[in-house]
Coordinates of all heavy atoms in Angstrom, one line a residue:
E1 N -45.3 -44.3 6.5 CA -45.8 -45.0 7.7 C -45.0 -44.7 9.0 O -45.3 -45.1 10.1 CB -45.8 -46.5 7.5 CG -46.8 -46.9 6.5 CD -47.1 -48.4 6.5 OE1 -46.8 -49.1 7.5 OE2 -47.7 -48.9 5.5
L2 N -43.9 -44.0 8.8 CA -43.1 -43.6 10.0 C -43.9 -42.7 10.9 O -44.7 -41.9 10.4 CB -41.8 -42.8 9.6 CG -40.8 -43.6 8.8 CD1 -39.7 -42.7 8.3 CD2 -40.2 -44.7 9.7
S3 N -43.7 -42.8 12.2 CA -44.4 -41.9 13.1 C -44.0 -40.5 12.9 O -42.9 -40.2 12.3 CB -44.2 -42.3 14.6 OG -42.8 -42.0 14.9
Y4 N -44.8 -39.6 13.4 CA -44.5 -38.1 13.2 C -43.2 -37.8 13.9 O -42.3 -37.1 13.3 CB -45.6 -37.3 13.9 CG -45.4 -35.8 13.7 CD1 -45.7 -35.2 12.5 CD2 -44.9 -35.0 14.8 CE1 -45.4 -33.8 12.4 CE2 -44.7 -33.7 14.6 CZ -44.9 -33.1 13.4 OH -44.7 -31.7 13.3
D5 N -42.9 -38.3 15.1 CA -41.7 -38.0 15.8 C -40.5 -38.5 15.0 O -39.5 -37.8 14.8 CB -41.7 -38.6 17.2 CG -40.5 -38.3 18.0 OD1 -40.1 -37.1 18.1 OD2 -39.8 -39.2 18.5
V6 N -40.5 -39.7 14.6 CA -39.4 -40.3 13.8 C -39.2 -39.6 12.5 O -38.1 -39.3 12.1 CB -39.7 -41.8 13.6 CG1 -38.7 -42.4 12.6 CG2 -39.7 -42.6 14.9
S7 N -40.3 -39.2 11.8 CA -40.2 -38.5 10.6 C -39.5 -37.1 10.8 O -38.7 -36.7 9.9 CB -41.6 -38.2 10.0 OG -42.2 -39.5 9.7
C8 N -39.9 -36.4 11.8 CA -39.3 -35.1 12.1 C -37.8 -35.3 12.3 O -37.0 -34.5 11.8 CB -39.9 -34.4 13.3 SG -41.6 -33.9 13.0
R9 N -37.4 -36.3 13.1 CA -36.0 -36.5 13.4 C -35.2 -36.9 12.2 O -34.1 -36.6 12.0 CB -35.9 -37.5 14.5 CG -36.4 -36.9 15.9 CD -36.3 -37.9 17.0 NE -35.0 -38.3 17.4 CZ -34.7 -39.3 18.2 NH1 -35.7 -39.9 18.8 NH2 -33.5 -39.6 18.5
A10 N -35.9 -37.7 11.3 CA -35.3 -38.1 10.0 C -35.0 -36.9 9.1 O -34.0 -36.8 8.5 CB -36.2 -39.1 9.3
E11 N -36.0 -36.0 9.1 CA -35.8 -34.8 8.3 C -34.6 -34.0 8.8 O -33.8 -33.5 8.0 CB -37.1 -34.0 8.2 CG -36.9 -32.7 7.4 CD -37.9 -31.6 7.7 OE1 -38.6 -31.7 8.6 OE2 -37.8 -30.6 7.0
E12 N -34.6 -33.8 10.1 CA -33.5 -33.0 10.7 C -32.1 -33.7 10.4 O -31.2 -33.0 10.0 CB -33.6 -32.9 12.2 CG -34.8 -32.0 12.6 CD -35.1 -32.2 14.1 OE1 -34.2 -32.8 14.9 OE2 -36.1 -31.6 14.6
L13 N -32.0 -35.0 10.5 CA -30.8 -35.7 10.3 C -30.4 -35.6 8.8 O -29.3 -35.4 8.4 CB -30.9 -37.1 10.7 CG -29.6 -38.0 10.6 CD1 -28.5 -37.4 11.4 CD2 -29.9 -39.4 11.0
F14 N -31.4 -35.7 7.9 CA -31.2 -35.6 6.5 C -30.6 -34.3 6.1 O -29.6 -34.2 5.4 CB -32.5 -35.9 5.7 CG -32.3 -35.7 4.2 CD1 -31.8 -36.7 3.4 CD2 -32.6 -34.5 3.6 CE1 -31.6 -36.5 2.0 CE2 -32.5 -34.3 2.2 CZ -31.9 -35.3 1.5
Q15 N -31.2 -33.2 6.7 CA -30.7 -31.8 6.4 C -29.3 -31.7 6.9 O -28.5 -31.0 6.2 CB -31.6 -30.8 7.1 CG -33.0 -30.8 6.6 CD -33.2 -30.4 5.1 OE1 -32.3 -29.8 4.5 NE2 -34.2 -30.9 4.5
H16 N -29.0 -32.3 8.0 CA -27.6 -32.2 8.6 C -26.6 -33.0 7.7 O -25.5 -32.5 7.4 CB -27.6 -32.6 10.0 CG -26.2 -32.7 10.6 ND1 -25.5 -31.5 11.0 CD2 -25.5 -33.7 11.0 CE1 -24.4 -31.9 11.5 NE2 -24.3 -33.2 11.5
L17 N -27.0 -34.2 7.4 CA -26.0 -35.1 6.7 C -25.8 -34.9 5.2 O -24.8 -35.2 4.7 CB -26.5 -36.6 6.9 CG -26.4 -37.1 8.3 CD1 -27.0 -38.5 8.3 CD2 -25.0 -37.1 8.8
Q18 N -26.8 -34.3 4.6 CA -26.7 -34.1 3.1 C -25.5 -33.2 2.7 O -25.0 -33.2 1.6 CB -28.0 -33.6 2.5 CG -28.3 -32.2 2.7 CD -29.5 -31.8 2.0 OE1 -30.1 -32.5 1.2 NE2 -30.0 -30.6 2.2
H19 N -25.0 -32.5 3.7 CA -23.8 -31.6 3.4 C -22.5 -32.4 3.3 O -21.5 -31.9 2.8 CB -23.7 -30.5 4.5 CG -24.9 -29.7 4.6 ND1 -25.3 -28.8 3.6 CD2 -25.8 -29.6 5.6 CE1 -26.4 -28.2 4.0 NE2 -26.8 -28.7 5.2
Y20 N -22.5 -33.7 3.8 CA -21.3 -34.5 3.8 C -21.1 -35.1 2.4 O -20.0 -35.3 2.0 CB -21.4 -35.7 4.8 CG -21.2 -35.3 6.2 CD1 -22.3 -35.1 7.0 CD2 -19.9 -35.1 6.7 CE1 -22.1 -34.7 8.4 CE2 -19.7 -34.8 8.0 CZ -20.8 -34.6 8.8 OH -20.6 -34.2 10.1
K21 N -22.1 -35.3 1.7 CA -22.0 -35.9 0.4 C -23.0 -35.3 -0.6 O -24.2 -35.4 -0.4 CB -22.3 -37.4 0.5 CG -22.0 -38.3 -0.7 CD -22.2 -39.7 -0.3 CE -21.9 -40.6 -1.5 NZ -22.2 -42.0 -1.1
N22 N -22.5 -34.7 -1.6 CA -23.4 -34.0 -2.5 C -23.9 -34.9 -3.7 O -24.8 -34.5 -4.4 CB -22.8 -32.7 -3.1 CG -21.5 -33.0 -3.9 OD1 -21.1 -34.2 -4.0 ND2 -20.8 -32.0 -4.3
T23 N -23.3 -36.1 -3.8 CA -23.8 -37.1 -4.7 C -24.2 -38.3 -4.0 O -23.4 -39.1 -3.6 CB -22.8 -37.4 -5.8 OG1 -21.6 -37.9 -5.1 CG2 -22.4 -36.2 -6.6
Y24 N -25.5 -38.5 -3.8 CA -26.0 -39.7 -3.1 C -27.2 -40.2 -3.9 O -27.8 -39.4 -4.7 CB -26.4 -39.4 -1.7 CG -27.4 -38.2 -1.5 CD1 -28.8 -38.5 -1.6 CD2 -26.9 -37.0 -1.3 CE1 -29.7 -37.4 -1.5 CE2 -27.8 -35.9 -1.2 CZ -29.2 -36.1 -1.3 OH -30.1 -35.1 -1.2
R25 N -27.6 -41.4 -3.7 CA -28.7 -42.0 -4.4 C -29.7 -42.5 -3.3 O -29.5 -43.5 -2.7 CB -28.3 -43.1 -5.3 CG -27.3 -42.7 -6.4 CD -27.1 -43.9 -7.2 NE -25.9 -43.8 -8.0 CZ -25.5 -44.6 -8.9 NH1 -26.2 -45.7 -9.2 NH2 -24.4 -44.4 -9.6
L26 N -30.8 -41.8 -3.2 CA -31.8 -42.1 -2.2 C -33.2 -42.1 -2.8 O -33.6 -41.1 -3.4 CB -31.8 -41.1 -1.0 CG -32.9 -41.3 0.1 CD1 -32.8 -42.7 0.7 CD2 -32.8 -40.2 1.1
V27 N -33.9 -43.2 -2.8 CA -35.2 -43.3 -3.3 C -36.1 -43.5 -2.1 O -35.9 -44.4 -1.3 CB -35.3 -44.5 -4.3 CG1 -36.8 -44.6 -4.8 CG2 -34.4 -44.3 -5.4
I28 N -37.2 -42.7 -2.0 CA -38.2 -42.9 -1.0 C -39.5 -43.2 -1.6 O -40.1 -42.5 -2.4 CB -38.3 -41.6 -0.2 CG1 -37.0 -41.2 0.4 CG2 -39.4 -41.7 0.9 CD1 -37.0 -39.8 1.1
L29 N -40.0 -44.4 -1.3 CA -41.3 -44.9 -1.9 C -42.4 -44.8 -0.8 O -42.2 -45.2 0.3 CB -41.1 -46.3 -2.4 CG -40.1 -46.6 -3.5 CD1 -40.0 -48.1 -3.8 CD2 -40.5 -45.8 -4.7
C30 N -43.5 -44.2 -1.2 CA -44.6 -44.0 -0.3 C -45.9 -44.4 -1.0 O -46.0 -44.5 -2.2 CB -44.7 -42.5 0.1 SG -43.3 -41.9 0.9
N31 N -46.9 -44.7 -0.2 CA -48.2 -45.0 -0.7 C -48.9 -43.7 -1.1 O -48.9 -42.7 -0.4 CB -49.0 -45.6 0.5 CG -50.4 -46.1 0.1 OD1 -51.0 -45.6 -0.9 ND2 -51.0 -47.0 0.8
C32 N -49.4 -43.7 -2.4 CA -50.0 -42.4 -2.9 C -51.2 -42.0 -2.1 O -51.6 -40.8 -2.1 CB -50.3 -42.6 -4.4 SG -51.6 -43.8 -4.7
E33 N -51.8 -42.9 -1.4 CA -53.0 -42.6 -0.6 C -52.6 -41.8 0.7 O -53.4 -41.3 1.4 CB -53.8 -43.8 -0.2 CG -54.4 -44.4 -1.5 CD -55.1 -45.7 -1.2 OE1 -55.2 -46.1 0.0 OE2 -55.6 -46.4 -2.1
R34 N -51.3 -41.9 1.0 CA -50.8 -41.2 2.2 C -49.8 -40.1 1.9 O -48.9 -39.8 2.6 CB -50.2 -42.2 3.2 CG -51.2 -43.2 3.7 CD -50.5 -44.2 4.6 NE -49.5 -43.7 5.5 CZ -49.8 -43.3 6.8 NH1 -51.0 -43.5 7.3 NH2 -48.8 -42.8 7.5
E35 N -50.0 -39.5 0.7 CA -49.1 -38.5 0.3 C -49.0 -37.2 1.1 O -48.1 -36.4 0.9 CB -49.3 -38.1 -1.2 CG -50.6 -37.4 -1.4 CD -50.9 -37.1 -2.9 OE1 -49.9 -36.8 -3.6 OE2 -52.0 -37.1 -3.3
H36 N -50.0 -37.0 2.0 CA -50.0 -35.8 2.8 C -49.3 -36.1 4.2 O -49.4 -35.2 5.1 CB -51.4 -35.3 3.0 CG -51.9 -34.9 1.7 ND1 -51.4 -33.8 0.9 CD2 -53.0 -35.4 0.9 CE1 -52.1 -33.7 -0.2 NE2 -53.0 -34.6 -0.2
S37 N -48.8 -37.3 4.4 CA -48.1 -37.5 5.7 C -46.8 -36.8 5.7 O -46.4 -36.2 4.6 CB -48.0 -39.0 5.9 OG -47.2 -39.6 4.9
Y38 N -46.0 -36.8 6.8 CA -44.9 -36.0 6.9 C -43.8 -36.1 5.9 O -43.4 -35.2 5.2 CB -44.3 -36.2 8.3 CG -43.3 -35.1 8.7 CD1 -43.8 -33.9 9.3 CD2 -42.0 -35.2 8.5 CE1 -42.9 -32.9 9.7 CE2 -41.1 -34.2 8.8 CZ -41.6 -33.1 9.4 OH -40.7 -32.1 9.8
I39 N -43.2 -37.3 5.7 CA -42.1 -37.5 4.8 C -42.5 -37.2 3.4 O -41.7 -36.5 2.7 CB -41.5 -39.0 5.0 CG1 -40.9 -39.2 6.3 CG2 -40.6 -39.3 3.8 CD1 -39.6 -38.4 6.6
P40 N -43.6 -37.7 2.8 CA -43.9 -37.3 1.5 C -44.1 -35.8 1.3 O -43.7 -35.2 0.3 CB -45.2 -38.0 1.2 CG -45.3 -39.1 2.1 CD -44.5 -38.7 3.3

């Protein structure tokens, strides 16, 4: 449900930050009817 702009910025930040910690636990839950939106 995140807007396109927020989703893009979230992806960029994720790509940048994942190098700080190689063991993290992140679960992303989405509606299966919206599986073609940006984050999924």
Side-chain angles (χ1 to χ4, degrees):
E1 293 195 16
L2 294 173
S3 70
Y4 180 78
D5 181 52
V6 171
S7 296
C8 290
R9 292 177 64 190
E11 179 199 8
E12 290 171 10
L13 185 60
F14 176 82
Q15 296 299 335
H16 175 72
L17 291 177
Q18 74 175 353
H19 302 294
Y20 284 99
K21 189 174 181 182
N22 59 5
T23 58
Y24 56 87
R25 299 184 199 187
L26 175 61
V27 177
I28 301 174
L29 297 175
C30 300
N31 183 337
C32 64
E33 294 174 5
R34 295 179 42 96
E35 67 181 325
H36 298 295
S37 59
Y38 194 88
I39 292 291

